[in-house]
Amino acid sequence: MYTLKKSLGQHFLKDENMCKKIVQSLPVIQGQQVLEVGPGAGAITKYLLQLPGISFKAVELDTEKVQYLEKTYPDIKDKLIHQSFLDMEVPFQGQFSVIGNFPYNISSQIMFRVLEWKAQVPEVVGMFQKEVALRIAATHGNKDYGILSVLLQAWYRVEYLFEVHEQCFNPPPKVKSAVIRLTRLEQPYEIANERKFFNLVKTAFNQRRKQLRNPLKTLFDKEYLQDSLFSKRAEELTVADFVALSHKMI
């Protein structure tokens, strides 16, 4: 058997219908490459292994889980990468989808890593703590709208799919969970300088209660800061607004 590790944010899905529902949320075609992040005890892994015609890999940090998975699902033998997702190299050449019941304590970092690989990742289906899922899916003018919302929505369309009841897990987590799907935009925003764009979004939301003129004063010319846009707060700006602003930075 295996033990649950609090330090790794482990809560295992035990509801089979929910496991199938998550896997069915990932559109798959013949020959597709798929990476599962944090398979744990294999709740959704066993269904992913059954998908016909895909090239599958899973990344798992916990040695005990790696041994358990190899023993329980012999098919996974050469498909398992024993490492942290945050430290691994790109697992495939070409395009690959990402799916997982993401460890909640690193789920935001997982999404930042996906952004690094966005040219290769057309889709992500992930289970998150509900608050994080809401944050990723939030649109401007919403209190949940923030850095993750803007950065991910600059490249992906986000769908908030469904919530997962605590009783579907062992042990039941103290937080609510939700599954979202990200699909890369066919016509992404034209961002001239990604580093500037990231810096702009992070700086704007670091003081989200203040008018943008305050946190952003070092990033723009004095004259341009007189624009009425800078009297708004970060959460009032759309993704398109942030993209447009990034083109005017010093």
Side-chain angles (χ1 to χ4, degrees):
M1 273 309 283
Y2 53 82
T3 47
L4 287 152
K5 296 194 173 59
K6 277 230 165 71
S7 63
L8 297 176
Q10 292 178 344
H11 291 275
F12 296 123
L13 258 182
K14 60 177 187 184
D15 183 307
E16 295 303 329
N17 286 330
M18 193 51 78
C19 296
K20 287 179 196 161
K21 197 173 173 183
I22 293 169
V23 171
Q24 284 160 1
S25 301
L26 184 73
V28 285
I29 52 168
Q30 194 73 17
Q32 190 165 334
Q33 302 185 124
V34 176
L35 176 72
E36 184 186 3
V37 177
I44 67 173
T45 317
K46 57 180 178 288
Y47 297 109
L48 290 164
L49 285 167
Q50 291 167 16
L51 292 175
I54 67 161
S55 175
F56 176 73
K57 288 181 183 176
V59 55
E60 175 59 62
L61 175 63
D62 184 0
T63 307
E64 196 182 20
K65 301 302 173 302
V66 168
Q67 291 164 350
Y68 175 82
L69 287 164
E70 288 182 339
K71 213 160 91 186
T72 315
Y73 307 105
D75 287 357
I76 207 169
K77 193 76 177 139
D78 304 316
K79 302 179 168 111
L80 208 46
I81 301 161
H82 183 193
Q83 215 179 351
S84 162
F85 175 73
L86 302 179
D87 300 326
M88 74 186 293
E89 297 288 310
V90 182
F92 294 101
Q93 288 185 314
Q95 304 289 298
F96 65 97
S97 300
V98 173
I99 188 169
N101 168 13
F102 298 144
Y104 290 175
N105 51 354
I106 59 161
S107 61
S108 296
Q109 289 156 275
I110 288 171
M111 297 319 289
F112 281 117
R113 197 71 203 270
V114 163
L115 276 174
E116 286 174 36
W117 294 346
K118 60 190 175 296
Q120 281 183 262
V121 179
E123 284 136 355
V124 181
V125 169
M127 177 151 57
F128 295 81
Q129 187 174 327
K130 183 181 173 182
E131 282 80 4
V132 179
L134 285 171
R135 222 177 292 156
I136 293 170
T139 50
H140 71 287
N142 183 309
K143 66 173 173 43
D144 294 317
Y145 184 67
I147 294 171
L148 268 181
S149 332
V150 176
L151 295 182
L152 287 165
Q153 289 171 36
W155 283 279
Y156 290 92
R157 179 167 65 92
V158 181
E159 298 166 273
Y160 188 90
L161 297 181
F162 50 87
E163 293 174 6
V164 185
H165 197 276
E166 299 92 302
Q167 295 307 319
C168 294
F169 297 89
N170 173 32
K174 295 201 167 52
V175 295
K176 304 261 181 218
S177 305
V179 174
I180 58 175
R181 177 168 57 217
L182 284 76
T183 309
R184 197 170 54 204
L185 298 171
E186 282 177 22
Q187 292 182 304
Y189 293 91
E190 300 213 1
I191 295 168
N193 184 317
E194 285 185 19
R195 190 181 51 79
K196 279 187 172 179
F197 178 67
F198 274 61
N199 185 29
L200 170 68
V201 174
K202 287 179 177 175
T203 309
F205 280 102
N206 276 344
Q207 299 181 40
R208 61 184 301 148
R209 297 276 158 264
K210 295 195 169 159
Q211 290 186 354
L212 288 167
R213 203 164 277 121
N214 282 351
L216 300 183
K217 59 178 179 282
T218 58
L219 304 180
F220 295 91
D221 284 332
K222 255 203 179 91
E223 291 72 44
Y224 188 59
L225 283 167
Q226 301 316 306
D227 191 297
S228 62
L229 188 74
F230 290 96
S231 302
K232 295 184 171 184
R233 293 189 176 88
E235 64 194 47
E236 295 178 71
L237 267 57
T238 63
V239 176
D241 289 336
F242 277 109
V243 173
L245 259 189
S246 72
H247 296 156
K248 308 271 199 212
M249 290 167 73
I250 298 170

